[in-house]
Amino acid sequence: MPDDPIAGLIVATAGADRNEFRNLYRATSAKLFGVCLRILKDRSEAEDAVQEVFTRVWLNARRYDAARARGMTWLIAIARNHAIDRLRARPAAREGDDSAIAEIADRAPGPEAQVVARGEARRIADCFEGLEPARAEAIRGAYLGGLSYEELSRRHDVPMNTMRSWLRRGLMKLKECLEA
């Protein structure tokens, strides 16, 4: 077992050594989570599955035989089998089941929604054109680019309070334009 530290942790776990079980969890949980996630394709369910796998390991560690398999191989087999069992326990999609169709359906906006969105985008662009170019650029930098007042005031070479006024007045003009 010196060449297989995981096997040693499993054997210690079989003796109800909680500290070594904790070490076993730390050493292997990420790998076992990956196995479960690959099979189940759902993060939350994979997390639950890993917890159940470690419960099984705690209860059945005495069954581990180092002569038959390396420790990690034994743990992966438990995780894989448990994940497959969970997958099989899921309700099967019946023929004519609308939920299966909903998963396939295109969630992209339909033609009508796209036309409305384009119209709104055009209105916003027209309102931006009504602003002074420097103020429009400052608003875009603040609200689309995530720039701070300080960054904007340096970029436009104006005092910070002036930048705040530009943004406030510019937003008020945009609001008036969009409500008109």
Side-chain angles (χ1 to χ4, degrees):
M1 274 190 290
D3 65 325
D4 187 5
I6 302 300
L9 294 172
I10 294 170
V11 169
T13 297
D17 185 332
R18 291 179 185 273
N19 192 40
E20 291 302 312
F21 180 66
R22 195 172 298 116
N23 292 334
L24 177 67
Y25 182 86
R26 285 187 193 120
T28 62
S29 61
K31 174 75 172 174
L32 299 181
F33 174 73
V35 169
C36 291
L37 183 59
R38 190 182 74 241
I39 294 168
L40 297 169
K41 295 177 181 25
D42 179 83
R43 185 173 192 83
S44 178
E45 190 174 6
E47 289 170 355
D48 291 344
V50 169
Q51 295 306 312
E52 292 169 8
V53 165
F54 277 100
T55 300
R56 287 182 178 190
V57 169
W58 176 258
L59 296 172
N60 298 310
R62 67 186 175 286
R63 294 183 182 173
Y64 171 68
D65 182 0
R68 295 184 64 203
R70 295 185 57 83
M72 196 64 188
T73 304
W74 186 73
L75 292 172
I76 289 172
I78 292 172
R80 181 183 170 280
N81 292 339
H82 182 66
I84 289 170
D85 289 346
R86 286 183 72 114
L87 201 58
R88 288 178 180 154
R90 288 180 182 170
R94 295 180 310 268
E95 193 169 324
D97 188 359
D98 291 338
S99 65
I101 293 171
E103 290 179 28
I104 298 171
D106 184 11
R107 301 205 191 288
E112 183 180 349
Q114 290 175 1
V115 169
V116 170
R118 278 195 298 272
E120 288 298 312
R122 185 70 239 153
R123 278 186 61 213
I124 293 170
D126 289 344
C127 289
F128 262 99
E129 287 176 12
L131 297 175
E132 292 179 38
R135 286 168 175 75
E137 184 183 332
I139 290 172
R140 284 186 186 100
Y143 297 99
L144 300 176
L147 299 176
S148 68
Y149 291 134
E150 186 178 343
E151 292 168 322
L152 289 167
S153 65
R154 278 196 312 262
R155 179 178 283 181
H156 293 277
D157 196 29
V158 296
M160 197 175 325
N161 285 337
T162 301
M163 181 52 63
R164 287 187 178 122
S165 294
W166 280 15
L167 293 173
R168 189 180 75 249
R169 288 182 186 143
L171 289 174
M172 287 171 32
K173 275 188 156 185
L174 284 175
K175 180 181 177 189
E176 288 172 11
C177 178
L178 290 170
E179 289 177 346

